[in-house]
Amino acid sequence: LPPPAPPRDPETGFTVPSRSMAWGSTIVDVEVDDETGEVTIVNLYDCYDIGTVINPLQAEGQVQGGDIQGIGMALFEDLTPGYPDKTKADMFAYNFTDYIIPSFKDMPKHSEIKFFQNYDPYGPFGAKGMGEMVTNTQPPAIANAIYNACGVWIDSLPITPEKILRALE
């Protein structure tokens, strides 16, 4: 087994921050209706460096699930304290009317997933972990795409039509 941490220079403290850090990126094309504030995701492109991809079908499925979760986080899911009853401080959504999740119609019209194969000498068979990393890249990509589409920055999630219309005013 490899040592639990990378070697550290005792005098300078220099070290490799993480031996098995996985990396990912998402690019999104959106259309924003400037009358309703509705966002349509047209294209979504993912690329992840997860070392050696041992099971490509499973890795692709993990990214597809992450895309759905990331889109939900960016555009729909809200756990505002006290919602819908402002007299309570709980953060529970009691049904899917109060807690909106993406549906099939909210998925991009086109998506592509690529993996950058980068052998990691410390991972099993050269692999790195990917886990929940695949849900982190969509919200900032969507926020940037909305800015590129209509020129307004939305700096809180979810990016609702109301927030877009308010920013456009």
Side-chain angles (χ1 to χ4, degrees):
L1 292 174
R8 181 178 299 275
D9 183 316
E11 293 197 19
T12 65
F14 176 80
T15 187
V16 178
S18 176
R19 290 186 196 207
S20 297
M21 182 67 75
W23 304 95
S25 179
T26 298
I27 298 171
V28 179
D29 295 323
V30 300
E31 292 175 353
V32 179
D33 185 326
D34 59 358
E35 291 182 13
T36 65
E38 188 172 332
V39 176
T40 303
I41 299 176
V42 180
N43 299 307
L44 189 143
Y45 305 95
D46 291 304
C47 184
Y48 290 96
D49 167 8
I50 58 168
T52 301
V53 181
I54 295 171
N55 185 333
L57 188 60
Q58 188 175 22
E60 190 172 317
Q62 181 80 6
V63 175
Q64 288 170 341
D67 285 342
I68 293 166
Q69 286 183 285
I71 290 167
M73 189 185 332
L75 299 177
F76 303 107
E77 300 173 32
D78 191 6
L79 281 177
T80 304
Y83 179 83
D85 183 355
K86 300 291 184 203
T87 63
K88 297 181 181 176
D90 60 1
M91 294 180 67
F92 296 105
Y94 298 101
N95 55 50
F96 288 122
T97 301
D98 297 331
Y99 189 79
I100 309 299
I101 60 173
S103 69
F104 185 75
K105 74 175 191 72
D106 301 308
M107 294 302 100
K109 295 174 184 169
H110 172 76
S111 66
E112 257 180 73
I113 299 168
K114 301 284 185 191
F115 294 104
F116 177 73
Q117 299 256 7
N118 183 18
Y119 182 84
D120 185 330
Y122 300 103
F125 305 105
K128 301 176 185 180
M130 70 187 288
E132 294 182 10
M133 168 187 78
V134 297
T135 65
N136 297 335
T137 57
Q138 298 80 11
I142 291 169
N144 283 324
I146 290 169
Y147 173 76
N148 286 333
C150 62
V152 296
W153 283 111
I154 308 298
D155 61 2
S156 65
L157 298 179
I159 303 171
T160 61
E162 295 81 12
K163 288 179 184 177
I164 293 172
L165 292 175
R166 206 172 310 125
L168 285 170
E169 289 176 359

